[in-house]
Amino acid sequence: MMMVLGTRCPLLPLLCLIQTGLLLSGTDGFSFPQQHTMQFWAKRLEHEFEQVMRNFGGVQQLRGLYRDKRNLFQVEENVPRKLVEKVAGDIETLLAKKVRALKRLADAAEKFQKAHRWQDNIREEDIEYYDSKADTEYDDPEGEEETREITHSLKLDFTDDPNFRTKVNYSYTAVQIPTDIYKGSTVILNELNWTDALEDVFIQNRQEDPTLLWQVFGSATGVTRYYPATPWRAPSKIDLYDVRRRPWYIQGASSPKDMVIIVDVSGSVSGLTLKLMKTSVMEMLDTLSDDDYVTVASFHEKAEPVSCFRQLVQANVRNKKVIKEAVQDMVARGTTDYKAGFEYAFSQLQNTNVTRANCNKMIMMFTDGGEDRVQDVFEKYNWPNKTVRVFTFSVGQHNYDVTPLQWMACANKGYYFEIPSIGAIRINTQEYLDVLGRPMVLAGNEAKQVQWTNVYQDALGLGLVVTGTLPVFNLTEDPGSGKNQLILGVMGIDVALDDIHRLMPRYSLGANGYMFAIDLNGYVLLHPNLKPQIINFQEPVTLDFLDAELEDENKEEIRRNMIDGKGGHQLIRTLVKSLDERYIDEAERTYTWAPIHSTNYSLGLVLPLYSSYYLRANLSDQILQVQYFESLMPNHFESDGRVFLAPRKYCRDLEQSENNTEFLLNFISLMEKVTPDSKLCDSFLLHNLILDTGITRDLADRAWKDKDLLTHGLLAVFAATDGGITRVFPNKAADDWMEDMEPHNSTYYRRSLDNKGYIFRAPYRESGYHPTELENNTVGILVSTAVEIEIEGKRLKPAVVGVKLDLESWVEKFKVLASNQSVNNPQGPRKCSPTASCEMDCDVNNEDLLCVLIDDGGFLVMSNQQDQWSQVGKFFSEVDPNLMSALYNNSFFARKESYDYQSVCAPKTESNKGAAPRGIFVPTIADILNLAWLSSAAAWSLFQHLLLSFTYGSWMQADDVTAENMEPREASCIMKQTQYYFSTINSTYSAVIDCGPCSRYFHAQRISNTNLLFVVAEKMLCSQCDSMKLDQAETRSEGPEQCELVQMPRYRKGPHVCFDYNVMEDTSDCGRGNLFRPSWLLLALLQVLLLCVIPSFSNSTSNRGL
């Protein structure tokens, strides 16, 4: 229970008065300081900080220098609407050039394929091509030599190319064929034959636009041909890359989908068949993108969703994760009732009260077989228009009649597939895309629309990219049936996000200004907070704008307008998370946005009001340039302070280095060869840099030199500027300078711009931190403030200045200032005693009185307790949880919780995992002894795996496998972040922490013009008041409850066009099943073979991690 003095306990005035009197009077002449006394101490602290910053910070001196040098720079305005329109136009122009190349490629591909003559007797040695896997080095942890497959690949030479970040050959294309596709098949060889002609078009495109990056044709057969040639980058020993499962291919090959997956979990589905179904459903989910919607239900006598999702949900990464986890928990029971499953599926697709894709509608049914055709259900829900396609999958080896399954698919414009074993899953769960592509092909040029993808990770090492896609159609005519309706594949051209970033102004927007872009899903294409740590190559990078920033109603509305393609401008007050993610500031920002025409993207600009203007230096006087430049030289550091140079791209030939001293020397060396106005350099950056070098040098002369810093408890003074200069004085203090060399990337710099007054920050200490004997005991408290200048009525903040306080020296000052003595009092301190009643203070009575300074994030800055000096920089709840809880409960602090979806964590361990690869079913002894298992297809499936293992060597090896359903050594994860910040309380408060005999009295007050809270409290006398610690450290989390989030989905839009129907579609090709079925006798023979072979195979591989 918290009991508060004054107006904070109006219902119990008498009780408050009695308790307060007891606390204030004390015993033996001791009394808790009265409120006016503590207010006086706070004023003294405020005055002392002000004096130090006035005498040593250099704010006034720096303002004077900007006035004196007014003729050396211009003040230019950032006009938000003009900036947004210009950059949007530049991005549109950049992408338009890629679109022209893309269309040229797609047209050429269709012509080449139409002119190609099919060859039945074609041989692999007849085809010349570069097999990108021929030179791929696969990691082998055992160091064993891998047996390479015999190949007819061309031998190429490669040269390093910085644009591609790898070695390339511009004279050839490269070919990648998925591991599970036989490259010597007639279909693949013919595909290689006709796509070879694309090489000349690729080369022509690059000659016309040298900035083009990867140009790729992904074929519906699985073949990928890309330019320029480079060896394939395989992620593991088993290369599971298949272009047809890449986000860009899926988006280009079909229109958005509403998919209901129903899984037969009746009693006949058990063992291997159920495992195959689970894996098949998970593979099916991986063919869906964020433009699609999905739900999964299991059925026997009745149907029910497998997860908490009761309706179609967006097929984003987190929703699919929930569904996949639920799929693994499916259990077989009951009897089969197809009617229950299909009625559930149709009811889901007819529900118009939920957000959906509203394009292709389909039902995917996985079963082991059955006799019912449920024609009455189709007549009721789907005929005669057949707006819902039905795809049926016969899973496992069994003796059921598959004719009803074939009929269901054929009668509903779908397709029938068989999945007899695990080896057939990947190919058969993605070929439905060919059926969905039919209306697109038949629509012809109307469907030839370029689409731009979400952000995703390039498989060849370019980093984050977006891809322009264009479907490629088969223009040949089938004899007797007329126009072909097959999609040949998807053409794609990559654009690196770095290339788009270069079109945006950066440094002229200031440290807290930035541009961003989002797509129709609200996902950020560009944003300073888009920093994925680990990327799943199978999924796009999907960070919502409202997760990239702290969400509020204003931003929700801005996001909606951007998705709708509208322009706008709005000034809002919002919460901003600091760069180190430990602080929250409330700040004003202007948001300006406009659509990027001819794309699905929208561009936004965020500017603080103080960034409405910026300085542009104009140093035409070369003599002055040389004078200013000289202070960059290391031989000037002792007199003028050490200079740190922001690692910006000042000149094209400037060699970057993580060592700032080395970078500075590289810069000096280059400047001796070129002038600031050289075409090889950015004159804006260079002129501003040289100007700030001179101004900060003059600041050192006026404000820092000839002053005894140590006497005043200062370790260093510093200035940092928008131009990229950080000057630290004296030179030796720069050895301990731990801040980022780029001011725009420094927390202290950004926060100083957003806050008035002085921002204190102690070095951060984690909860488990303990100083070592070898560690430097000197602790510096950084105090910074922005320098605001006004020129011709235009306000801007071009710099931040500050000091670094010596903690040990300032703790002594702190105790004196918060005591009954003054620095100049010759009588010394007054010690309270039984004969001399007086108030306790923070110096003499530090055994009874706790006095601390806490910053606005809740971190300890100073304490009068010596045993807490080593805990300065820790979250205060780690130091005194009881008191911190009281401060939070009395509204001195507010709390903000958010989630970081881009973190990386060690994979969670599961105790029930065996050493065998998870993709392979390993029969138990009970399975082997079971006659039903012997007569099933399990033996056939294992035999297929055995063949694969012999063919590919390491298929059954468990180590280093990173298939989609296997966890990597590190995984992306969600981290919960909690920040504390000052509430709106600015007054003085006194309160009682009521814990019976352990009650504590405390007083808290904000220190004006700082981010500090001054707290005076009785020390804890016993442990009965222990409170639970407030959690501030980042913790691993499952994120917000997905089952609740889907009930209120965020606003989004799908693509503007939909191709799901064409009256000319020929649905006669709907799947006719597998012509080969192993006999029972063959299965029995194979089982005997497996019982003999597998033990010896297991022994040979056990030493390699199986």
Side-chain angles (χ1 to χ4, degrees):
M1 173 183 175
M2 301 295 175
M3 192 169 297
V4 186
L5 297 182
T7 58
R8 295 184 66 83
C9 52
L11 299 179
L12 299 168
L14 182 59
L15 180 59
C16 286
L17 184 61
I18 294 172
Q19 190 160 11
T20 300
L22 290 173
L23 287 165
L24 294 179
S25 63
T27 60
D28 297 329
F30 292 89
S31 65
F32 192 88
Q34 297 185 41
Q35 184 165 314
H36 67 82
T37 300
M38 292 179 285
Q39 288 174 340
F40 172 70
W41 293 348
K43 282 289 184 183
R44 293 171 69 178
L45 287 168
E46 177 189 336
H47 177 74
E48 188 69 18
F49 294 143
E50 181 71 36
Q51 283 294 108
V52 168
M53 289 300 291
R54 183 179 296 276
N55 293 335
F56 295 94
V59 174
Q60 297 301 328
Q61 293 90 334
L62 197 53
R63 284 178 182 151
L65 284 168
Y66 278 111
R67 285 194 299 267
D68 295 344
K69 301 181 185 299
R70 177 67 186 85
N71 62 316
L72 299 181
F73 60 82
Q74 297 172 323
V75 179
E76 298 197 354
E77 183 178 5
N78 283 316
V79 183
R81 196 172 302 279
K82 288 183 178 179
L83 281 174
V84 170
E85 290 175 354
K86 180 186 182 304
V87 175
D90 291 343
I91 295 175
E92 181 184 353
T93 300
L94 172 71
L95 300 184
K97 293 172 67 177
K98 316 305 177 188
V99 168
R100 287 194 292 272
L102 195 59
K103 290 181 176 178
R104 186 183 298 116
L105 280 169
D107 291 342
E110 291 173 348
K111 291 176 183 177
F112 294 151
Q113 195 276 337
K114 186 175 183 180
H116 173 256
R117 289 193 175 185
W118 180 269
Q119 301 178 46
D120 286 321
N121 300 319
I122 194 170
R123 298 176 304 171
E124 191 171 357
E125 52 265 33
D126 297 334
I127 306 296
E128 279 195 352
Y129 70 100
Y130 171 66
D131 182 354
S132 61
K133 292 184 182 180
D135 297 323
T136 299
E137 297 293 336
Y138 290 90
D139 294 332
D140 189 345
E142 299 297 329
E144 299 179 17
E145 185 175 342
E146 292 291 324
T147 302
R148 287 194 175 274
E149 188 179 352
I150 298 175
T151 177
H152 299 280
S153 172
L154 295 171
K155 302 298 182 182
L156 303 182
D157 294 323
F158 302 94
T159 56
D160 285 315
D161 190 298
N163 294 322
F164 287 90
R165 304 179 186 177
T166 189
K167 295 182 177 182
V168 300
N169 184 307
Y170 280 112
S171 300
Y172 293 90
T173 58
V175 170
Q176 190 272 351
I177 301 174
T179 302
D180 53 352
I181 292 180
Y182 174 48
K183 65 179 65 175
S185 71
T186 304
V187 172
I188 297 300
L189 293 176
N190 276 277
E191 193 83 9
L192 293 174
N193 194 16
W194 75 260
T195 58
D196 182 62
L198 289 172
E199 195 168 271
D200 292 337
V201 187
F202 285 139
I203 294 173
Q204 179 188 352
N205 276 346
R206 181 178 179 272
Q207 290 172 346
E208 294 187 11
D209 181 5
T211 65
L212 279 176
L213 297 176
W214 299 121
Q215 304 175 64
V216 187
F217 174 61
S219 167
T221 63
V223 172
T224 305
R225 187 179 286 272
Y226 60 90
Y227 175 86
T230 190
W232 188 248
R233 295 178 53 160
S236 64
K237 289 182 148 222
I238 300 175
D239 178 22
L240 294 178
Y241 181 94
D242 188 322
V243 69
R244 295 166 296 182
R245 288 178 172 269
R246 295 296 283 158
W248 65 270
Y249 184 96
I250 293 171
Q251 182 170 321
S254 64
S255 292
K257 302 172 279 294
D258 286 323
M259 177 185 290
V260 179
I261 301 174
I262 54 175
V263 185
D264 178 3
V265 292
S266 59
S268 62
V269 178
S270 60
L272 179 63
T273 301
L274 184 58
K275 291 176 183 290
L276 290 176
M277 285 189 181
K278 291 178 179 179
T279 306
S280 298
V281 171
M282 294 173 73
E283 290 286 338
M284 178 70 72
L285 291 170
D286 286 338
T287 68
L288 302 177
S289 72
D290 289 76
D291 289 333
D292 304 319
Y293 282 73
V294 66
T295 189
V296 179
S298 60
F299 70 92
H300 37 87
E301 295 95 343
K302 64 176 183 178
E304 55 187 4
V306 298
S307 69
C308 58
F309 301 146
R310 295 295 184 260
Q311 73 277 337
L312 288 162
V313 296
Q314 186 182 14
N316 59 39
V317 176
R318 294 195 287 277
N319 286 342
K320 287 193 289 188
K321 180 177 182 287
V322 171
I323 296 175
K324 286 180 179 181
E325 290 173 351
V327 165
Q328 292 293 352
D329 295 332
M330 292 191 304
V331 178
R333 63 185 186 277
T335 58
T336 304
D337 185 355
Y338 285 162
K339 185 173 184 179
F342 277 107
E343 285 194 333
Y344 175 87
F346 279 113
S347 67
Q348 288 290 311
L349 293 172
Q350 290 183 347
N351 183 4
T352 58
N353 295 323
V354 297
T355 307
R356 307 183 334 188
N358 288 318
C359 192
N360 284 294
K361 299 178 181 63
M362 65 200 68
I363 299 172
M364 325 297 274
M365 182 178 74
F366 292 87
T367 181
D368 63 342
E371 299 179 357
D372 191 2
R373 301 191 178 198
V374 289
Q375 181 172 339
D376 56 331
V377 176
F378 298 133
E379 289 176 347
K380 178 180 179 181
Y381 293 102
N382 204 36
W383 294 355
N385 296 325
K386 300 181 181 180
T387 56
V388 177
R389 296 181 188 269
V390 175
F391 296 86
T392 55
F393 298 81
S394 175
V395 183
Q397 288 288 344
H398 48 74
N399 297 310
Y400 299 123
D401 180 12
V402 298
T403 304
L405 299 181
Q406 295 174 348
W407 179 88
M408 290 180 196
C410 295
N412 293 279
K413 298 170 65 176
Y415 209 92
Y416 165 74
F417 298 95
E418 290 186 356
I419 302 178
S421 67
I422 196 169
I425 290 177
R426 281 173 63 85
I427 186 68
N428 284 321
T429 53
Q430 67 192 22
E431 288 205 335
Y432 76 93
L433 291 171
D434 292 342
V435 177
L436 299 189
R438 292 172 183 171
M440 292 179 64
V441 178
L442 295 172
N445 290 333
E446 184 183 353
K448 299 291 282 295
Q449 299 194 19
V450 174
Q451 294 189 67
W452 290 96
T453 66
N454 300 121
V455 177
Y456 71 96
Q457 177 78 354
D458 172 53
L460 290 172
L462 266 184
L464 296 179
V465 299
V466 293
T467 299
T469 66
L470 197 60
V472 179
F473 300 151
N474 190 333
L475 300 183
T476 60
E477 294 190 359
D478 292 333
S481 61
K483 187 175 181 180
N484 199 300
Q485 56 183 15
L486 292 178
I487 187 169
L488 291 176
V490 178
M491 200 67 72
I493 287 183
D494 288 346
V495 178
L497 292 194
D498 288 345
D499 291 340
I500 301 178
H501 273 295
R502 292 189 188 100
L503 301 175
M504 300 179 174
R506 179 183 175 187
Y507 300 108
S508 61
L509 301 180
N512 288 320
Y514 58 91
M515 281 189 154
F516 69 97
I518 66 173
D519 62 18
L520 294 179
N521 280 302
Y523 299 146
V524 293
L525 162 74
L526 304 163
H527 197 285
N529 294 335
L530 179 63
K531 301 172 184 176
Q533 302 297 311
I534 282 188
I535 300 173
N536 180 352
F537 282 87
Q538 302 301 319
E539 297 284 358
V541 179
T542 53
L543 179 66
D544 197 283
F545 169 63
L546 297 178
D547 295 322
E549 304 190 2
L550 294 177
E551 181 177 357
D552 60 40
E553 292 181 358
N554 289 317
K555 291 176 184 175
E556 287 181 17
E557 187 62 28
I558 290 169
R559 177 182 177 275
R560 176 183 287 267
N561 287 332
M562 293 179 72
I563 291 173
D564 287 339
K566 299 176 182 178
H569 177 88
Q570 188 175 353
L571 173 64
I572 67 173
R573 191 158 187 82
T574 185
L575 296 181
V576 179
K577 191 184 300 183
S578 68
L579 203 62
D580 60 11
E581 299 181 327
R582 291 198 288 272
Y583 296 92
I584 295 287
D585 290 311
E586 188 175 9
E588 286 188 333
R589 295 286 190 266
T590 59
Y591 281 73
T592 308
W593 60 94
I596 303 174
H597 298 295
S598 303
T599 73
N600 292 331
Y601 305 138
S602 185
L603 182 71
L605 167 66
V606 180
L607 268 185
L609 292 178
Y610 53 77
S611 291
S612 299
Y613 300 94
Y614 64 95
L615 301 183
R616 179 181 291 276
N618 182 20
L619 297 177
S620 56
D621 187 338
Q622 294 186 357
I623 297 177
L624 189 62
Q625 288 183 18
V626 173
Q627 290 176 352
Y628 283 179
F629 185 76
E630 282 182 352
S631 71
L632 283 175
M633 301 296 183
N635 59 356
H636 284 258
F637 288 174
E638 283 301 324
S639 59
D640 300 332
R642 190 181 305 180
V643 172
F644 295 108
L645 206 62
R648 300 176 182 177
K649 192 70 174 177
Y650 300 102
C651 296
R652 190 182 306 169
D653 297 330
L654 177 59
E655 186 177 350
Q656 299 289 321
S657 173
E658 292 186 4
N659 183 300
N660 198 260
T661 301
E662 184 177 329
F663 178 68
L664 178 61
L665 293 176
N666 293 342
F667 177 80
I668 293 172
S669 176
L670 182 62
M671 288 297 99
E672 292 173 349
K673 303 173 186 176
V674 300
T675 67
D677 296 312
S678 169
K679 292 183 179 179
L680 299 176
C681 298
D682 187 323
S683 61
F684 169 71
L685 289 183
L686 275 179
H687 278 266
N688 279 25
L689 178 76
I690 295 172
L691 173 65
D692 287 354
T693 302
I695 287 179
T696 56
R697 183 204 64 183
D698 293 346
L699 175 65
D701 288 335
R702 291 191 184 185
W704 300 342
K705 286 184 180 179
D706 304 323
K707 288 189 178 180
D708 188 357
L709 301 182
L710 291 179
T711 301
H712 292 84
L714 302 181
L715 298 174
V717 288
F718 64 91
T721 70
D722 258 355
I725 288 292
T726 301
R727 189 179 293 273
V728 180
F729 183 88
N731 181 36
K732 63 179 181 179
D735 293 338
D736 298 321
W737 186 256
M738 304 303 294
E739 306 303 320
D740 199 294
M741 305 309 171
E742 170 58 77
H744 286 192
N745 293 340
S746 299
T747 294
Y748 81 88
Y749 192 91
R750 290 190 176 191
R751 296 201 68 216
S752 297
L753 295 175
D754 272 336
N755 292 276
K756 294 181 179 179
Y758 308 121
I759 302 301
F760 286 69
R761 185 167 67 90
Y764 176 64
R765 310 291 193 196
E766 294 183 346
S767 58
Y769 167 80
H770 295 288
T772 63
E773 293 182 2
L774 298 176
E775 193 173 340
N776 185 349
N777 292 325
T778 303
V779 177
I781 306 297
L782 208 68
V783 188
S784 57
T785 187
V787 178
E788 185 174 32
I789 62 176
E790 182 174 349
I791 299 174
E792 299 173 356
K794 301 170 183 176
R795 292 180 178 271
L796 61 159
K797 297 180 180 180
V800 168
V801 297
V803 301
K804 184 181 277 190
L805 308 179
D806 178 11
L807 175 65
E808 189 172 351
S809 298
W810 272 82
V811 163
E812 296 304 320
K813 284 191 179 186
F814 169 56
K815 291 193 293 184
V816 170
L817 293 169
S819 72
N820 298 322
Q821 61 173 312
S822 67
V823 177
N824 301 318
N825 183 4
Q827 299 178 358
R830 291 180 295 159
K831 185 173 179 64
C832 299
S833 67
T835 59
S837 177
C838 63
E839 296 177 351
M840 291 188 291
D841 66 37
C842 299
D843 183 18
V844 176
N845 308 99
N846 60 0
E847 294 180 0
D848 303 304
L849 205 61
L850 170 68
C851 303
V852 293
L853 290 175
I854 307 171
D855 71 15
D856 58 328
F859 296 94
L860 179 63
V861 175
M862 285 186 197
S863 171
N864 71 333
Q865 305 296 310
Q866 188 170 355
D867 61 343
Q868 293 182 356
W869 294 354
S870 64
Q871 301 187 72
V872 165
K874 284 187 178 182
F875 184 59
F876 192 57
S877 191
E878 298 289 339
V879 181
D880 191 330
N882 175 263
L883 185 53
M884 185 62 193
S885 295
L887 294 172
Y888 174 68
N889 292 331
N890 281 273
S891 301
F892 288 102
F893 286 94
R895 180 167 60 191
K896 182 68 176 180
E897 295 178 345
S898 59
Y899 295 94
D900 178 7
Y901 294 98
Q902 305 177 90
S903 295
V904 55
C905 303
K908 293 181 179 179
T909 57
E910 296 180 18
S911 59
N912 61 344
K913 286 183 180 176
R918 295 195 312 236
I920 300 175
F921 172 63
V922 180
T924 63
I925 294 176
D927 287 326
I928 294 174
L929 296 177
N930 189 322
L931 183 61
W933 186 86
L934 288 171
S935 61
S936 75
W940 179 247
S941 177
L942 280 174
F943 183 67
Q944 285 184 312
H945 276 298
L946 205 56
L947 291 176
L948 284 168
S949 70
F950 293 151
T951 303
Y952 297 109
S954 61
W955 179 269
M956 294 188 73
Q957 197 167 322
D959 55 324
D960 278 351
V961 176
T962 55
E964 288 92 338
N965 64 332
M966 295 189 179
E967 293 175 349
R969 289 172 182 170
E970 285 187 324
S972 59
C973 61
I974 302 172
M975 299 296 286
K976 182 180 179 181
Q977 296 181 343
T978 305
Q979 291 90 15
Y980 292 80
Y981 59 101
F982 285 155
S983 66
T984 55
I985 294 178
N986 292 308
S987 306
T988 296
Y989 282 100
S990 299
V992 177
I993 307 173
D994 187 5
C995 301
C998 292
S999 295
R1000 298 175 73 186
Y1001 185 75
F1002 75 92
H1003 171 87
Q1005 178 171 338
R1006 294 271 296 274
I1007 303 293
S1008 300
N1009 209 34
T1010 72
N1011 66 325
L1012 296 178
L1013 182 68
F1014 176 42
V1015 182
V1016 179
E1018 292 181 304
K1019 290 184 68 174
M1020 285 284 290
L1021 300 177
C1022 57
S1023 60
Q1024 295 178 19
C1025 255
D1026 284 351
S1027 301
M1028 184 178 296
K1029 288 183 181 179
L1030 295 177
D1031 190 16
Q1032 186 276 331
E1034 192 175 53
T1035 56
R1036 188 166 182 170
S1037 169
E1038 294 300 320
E1041 180 55 56
Q1042 284 297 118
C1043 303
E1044 297 176 3
L1045 288 181
V1046 296
Q1047 302 300 323
M1048 298 177 290
R1050 286 171 172 167
Y1051 182 73
R1052 65 171 296 277
K1053 277 188 174 180
H1056 301 301
V1057 292
C1058 170
F1059 298 96
D1060 62 339
Y1061 173 79
N1062 192 292
V1063 69
M1064 302 298 294
E1065 180 182 348
D1066 179 9
T1067 61
S1068 59
D1069 180 13
C1070 53
R1072 295 302 175 190
N1074 197 336
L1075 296 178
F1076 173 70
R1077 286 182 173 275
S1079 66
W1080 283 35
L1081 178 60
L1082 176 60
L1083 287 172
L1085 291 173
L1086 287 175
Q1087 175 63 20
V1088 174
L1089 176 63
L1090 286 169
L1091 291 174
C1092 297
V1093 172
I1094 285 184
S1096 61
F1097 180 82
S1098 298
N1099 291 333
S1100 67
T1101 58
S1102 62
N1103 294 329
R1104 301 183 63 194
L1106 184 62

